[in-house]
Amino acid sequence: MEDRILVLKKNGSRSIKDKGYQWFLQDDYVSSDVMEVTPRELEKFKSATKEANLLYFKALEHVIHRNLWDYLDISPAMARLITLDYERRIPHIIGRYDFAGGIDGPGIRLLEFNADTCTAIPESAHFQDYIYKENKVKAGPPFANLHTGLIKSFQDLKRRFSTKEASLLLTGLGHEEDTLNLKAIGDAARLAGFNVDYADFHDVVFADEGVFLEEGDEYVQYNFMMKMVPWDWIMVEDPELLPIIERLYRETDLVILNPAYTCAFQSKRMLSVLHEVDQYTPLVLPAFSEPSKLKDRKYVEKPNFGRLGENIKILQGDQSMAMTTGDFASNINVYQEYVDLYQDEDGDRYQAGMYTVDQTPACLSFRRRDGLILDDDAEFIAHVID
Amino acid sequence: MKTKKKFATAVVLSSLVLGSFLVSCGGGSEKLSPTQGVVTTIEEVSPDEFKITDEQVIATKSESKIIAKYMDGHIDTLSLSEAQLAYKDSTNTTRRHSSRPFRSVMWGGLFGYYMGRNMNSPVNRTAYGSQSAYDKSNKSHSNLKSTARRTRVSSPRRSSGRSRSSRSYGG
């Protein structure tokens, strides 16, 4: 394979610190190596993203019409929210498609869709530009229009719900990385004209009248919520909240981002539904709810609502070749054909991620790992177009 | 100033607390206070008769004001705090009669919610000089209500789900 890695001197740390993102500078996570992507490869990533997006929405309709909720391990209460948000056409504000291939020859293959709570947003939206500018790279700038895309999306949302006050509550479960990802989204929403505040999810008040934060002896209401709290977490850890949210959707037109249907997209069993919907496109890897059809090749066992590369197993026949531990051992699984990632001269592997904003490709970035499985130790790799 | 006093005594207040009003609400009482502001423009359409021609919701409550345009071309402006102070000075009984047109117009529009009117009541069509001004304020009323501070909500509930702030929930 061609060596596409440009070794630069600076990793954007000066600007990263200036903008309040210094948390990301630990553990050499932000590399000063960048991937060189050709313009033609970028266009192919964009086309693949649009195709994947169409397939996911087609697969969602398939799930809704055939009631495949048990198959996705989605509860009836969650299924009702998914159907409601789909019918209300609440926009998918931000998601990230993860791909293998696309660099130096091999075709693009969809690995999975981080539709509900994707992260690496500050890095992709901003750090790539910082790295590009600080190193005065001669090649073309990265494809990184996430910030402007989010502003436009929030402006569209404000216009669509013009009778509601544009009050947005960002909420997460407290991890700093999640809070910083919310900050990147909130900054764009503010520029779009929203009043934006943050609160930990356990401080958010769900009441008959809507969503509130308590301030002293008063309550302040928010008509929009952007959560870095997975829907599957709510479904498992606080299922009684789901009917409350359903009533708020119906009676107050509350908007929660990302919308409930991203729970279905986030379910990795959807990969096998995609394969059922279109088994001919090379974009979609063969995937099934059990491994028998994949035993003649390398394949991957993935937990349905897994994150951060946890509880992944790579197998050949019945032989395990690599695995990770984690919190998702009790999940049902999906089995997907294995495909290799782009490798550099050192043998490190790169996974491409394309962000969409309101279903439009908006930003490309990469992550790198020295092993077979991309987990939380992966580095962030910017790119340039050359 | 003569016109300011005439104007000010027209403003009706049932509470000295800035824009709050106690309503009964199913077994308890809830206070609803606007958190945003409003700029109300009224015009004298005939001697001593005023109609609201425009109301604009603004982000900062303390910047709320009333702009009164008179038939003789004269324009007067009263801030929210001036309106409050003016209400306190209600000892001049000879002025009260001529302030009635102001009173119903202010009470009937969005400004009424800053003078103590129940936020659950809609704005009055009769206070407005045109259907479009009324429609606009009707929409604005929903906004004001949805962003109003409440001292009570029904069935408040927080999430009790287990989580660890030591791990990210992203992907």
Side-chain angles (χ1 to χ4, degrees):
Chain A
M1 267 190 191
E2 205 178 283
D3 180 28
R4 292 290 196 88
I5 303 304
L6 197 57
V7 176
L8 300 173
K9 292 203 164 82
K10 300 178 186 182
N11 71 347
S13 56
R14 192 181 63 226
S15 304
I16 289 171
K17 282 183 210 161
D18 275 347
K19 302 293 182 187
Y21 289 119
Q22 56 274 14
W23 181 87
F24 290 98
L25 292 173
Q26 55 190 312
D27 300 329
D28 297 321
Y29 165 65
V30 182
S31 176
S32 52
D33 295 345
V34 306
M35 172 78 78
E36 285 175 315
V37 178
T38 69
R40 190 168 151 74
E41 285 168 345
L42 173 63
E43 287 315 301
K44 286 199 165 168
F45 275 120
K46 288 181 185 175
S47 301
T49 302
K50 289 176 190 165
E51 184 188 347
N53 195 68
L54 272 169
L55 283 171
Y56 262 94
F57 276 91
K58 207 168 164 188
L60 176 65
E61 284 163 11
H62 189 72
V63 165
I64 291 172
H65 293 140
R66 301 264 207 98
N67 276 305
L68 298 178
W69 307 111
D70 278 353
Y71 183 77
L72 298 182
D73 208 15
I74 284 173
S75 69
M78 189 67 228
R80 281 198 299 278
L81 285 191
I82 288 172
T83 309
L84 251 180
D85 263 352
Y86 175 69
E87 286 168 356
R88 293 161 84 207
R89 297 286 188 265
I90 302 298
H92 184 202
I93 280 286
I94 184 166
R96 192 187 74 240
Y97 287 95
D98 290 339
F99 295 112
I103 300 292
D104 189 35
I108 297 171
R109 318 299 292 277
L110 174 68
L111 293 169
E112 56 193 56
F113 187 17
N114 277 290
D116 186 2
T117 57
C118 67
T119 47
I121 295 170
E123 303 97 294
S124 305
H126 299 301
F127 300 4
Q128 297 193 97
D129 279 336
Y130 303 158
I131 291 168
Y132 181 76
K133 286 177 178 143
E134 280 186 17
N135 288 287
K136 298 188 171 73
V137 180
K138 287 198 170 68
F143 177 62
N145 302 328
L146 201 41
H147 181 67
T148 46
L150 282 169
I151 295 172
K152 186 186 173 301
S153 240
F154 276 107
Q155 283 170 336
D156 290 344
L157 192 65
K158 188 166 189 258
R159 250 192 310 271
R160 177 178 156 186
F161 290 97
S162 58
T163 56
K164 288 155 78 74
E165 164 63 13
S167 47
L168 174 70
L169 179 61
L170 308 172
T171 185
L173 289 165
H175 190 267
E176 187 153 4
E177 181 172 8
D178 295 353
T179 310
L180 289 168
N181 272 270
L182 285 167
K183 169 186 150 55
I185 297 170
D187 286 348
R190 237 175 240 116
L191 289 169
F194 278 80
N195 295 324
V196 183
D197 290 312
Y198 172 85
D200 282 352
F201 193 63
H202 291 95
D203 289 331
V204 176
V205 174
F206 292 87
D208 287 352
E209 296 86 351
V211 165
F212 296 85
L213 285 186
E214 202 172 352
E215 276 182 36
D217 60 355
E218 291 182 328
Y219 291 92
V220 179
Q221 186 165 8
Y222 294 86
N223 294 314
F224 302 82
M225 179 193 289
M226 175 85 212
K227 59 171 189 50
M228 199 52 76
V229 179
W231 282 110
D232 55 272
W233 181 92
I234 299 174
M235 187 172 59
V236 168
E237 295 293 340
D238 199 358
E240 288 170 12
L241 197 50
L242 295 177
I244 294 173
I245 292 173
E246 184 182 348
R247 194 174 36 72
L248 289 175
Y249 277 3
R250 291 184 193 282
E251 293 175 12
T252 73
D253 219 10
L254 172 70
V255 174
I256 297 183
L257 305 167
N258 274 311
Y261 57 74
T262 59
C263 180
F265 292 166
Q266 194 73 40
S267 151
K268 290 190 187 35
R269 277 273 180 102
M270 274 294 260
L271 292 165
S272 61
V273 179
L274 249 70
H275 179 61
E276 212 179 296
V277 161
D278 188 345
Q279 48 187 285
Y280 301 108
T281 174
L283 178 64
V284 176
L285 289 160
F288 308 94
S289 57
E290 51 79 34
S292 59
K293 289 187 177 150
L294 295 170
K295 293 266 171 120
D296 58 340
R297 64 199 95 158
K298 251 155 110 171
Y299 63 98
V300 189
E301 179 186 276
K302 298 184 176 182
N304 194 40
F305 285 117
R307 266 187 303 281
L308 306 174
E310 291 185 15
N311 301 100
I312 301 281
K313 247 195 226 162
I314 300 181
L315 301 113
Q316 174 100 47
D318 292 315
Q319 183 86 17
S320 168
M321 306 188 61
M323 60 184 284
T324 53
T325 56
D327 288 347
F328 303 99
S330 60
N331 271 212
I332 57 172
N333 292 313
V334 79
Y335 298 86
Q336 185 187 48
E337 180 180 293
Y338 173 85
V339 66
D340 217 345
L341 301 175
Y342 171 81
Q343 276 183 277
D344 66 19
E345 289 180 334
D346 300 329
D348 291 339
R349 289 177 165 82
Y350 294 75
Q351 178 175 289
M354 179 68 92
Y355 289 84
T356 55
V357 174
D358 205 358
Q359 301 185 51
T360 304
C363 178
L364 181 66
S365 65
F366 292 82
R367 293 173 65 212
R368 168 170 81 188
R369 184 79 174 102
D370 55 7
L372 282 173
I373 297 172
L374 215 80
D375 59 16
D376 212 23
D377 286 334
E379 295 169 276
F380 179 77
I381 303 292
H383 73 285
V384 291
I385 305 297
D386 197 9
Chain B
M1 275 169 68
K2 182 186 158 200
T3 37
K4 259 211 164 115
K5 266 197 176 166
K6 168 189 172 181
F7 181 52
T9 52
V11 176
V12 179
L13 261 180
S14 61
S15 163
L16 289 177
V17 177
L18 205 68
S20 65
F21 190 82
L22 280 165
V23 294
S24 269
C25 190
S29 63
E30 176 185 38
K31 198 170 83 171
L32 267 177
S33 321
T35 54
Q36 295 171 274
V38 70
V39 173
T40 297
T41 306
I42 63 175
E43 282 185 23
E44 192 178 24
V45 297
S46 60
D48 278 354
E49 190 193 354
F50 287 80
K51 291 286 181 190
I52 299 172
T53 54
D54 184 58
E55 286 184 305
Q56 183 72 39
V57 172
I58 58 174
T60 311
K61 189 174 176 182
S62 57
E63 290 172 13
S64 300
K65 57 187 169 205
I66 302 164
I67 302 166
K69 297 180 179 176
Y70 293 81
M71 285 173 76
D72 62 7
H74 169 83
I75 297 175
D76 205 2
T77 308
L78 207 67
S79 70
L80 187 53
S81 49
E82 281 174 325
Q84 291 277 4
L85 284 170
Y87 177 75
K88 277 188 195 174
D89 176 28
S90 56
T91 53
N92 192 328
T93 55
T94 59
R95 286 209 174 81
R96 254 183 231 144
H97 177 81
S98 60
S99 73
R100 272 195 202 118
F102 267 98
R103 179 183 294 162
S104 63
V105 149
M106 295 322 306
W107 185 256
L110 294 178
F111 220 83
Y113 304 124
Y114 297 80
M115 301 292 109
R117 188 176 178 212
N118 182 347
M119 281 199 86
N120 288 309
S121 310
V123 291
N124 288 343
R125 174 65 182 89
T126 53
Y128 292 84
S130 69
Q131 185 65 35
S132 56
Y134 167 70
D135 288 342
K136 184 181 169 190
S137 289
N138 220 358
K139 263 192 183 172
S140 299
H141 171 231
S142 307
N143 270 352
L144 276 185
K145 246 186 100 173
S146 74
T147 53
R149 282 178 185 254
R150 298 165 181 260
T151 54
R152 201 177 71 110
V153 294
S154 314
S155 319
R157 185 204 188 280
R158 287 178 177 77
S159 175
S160 53
R162 297 166 305 160
S163 65
R164 286 188 275 147
S165 63
S166 57
R167 65 165 294 147
S168 166
Y169 286 83

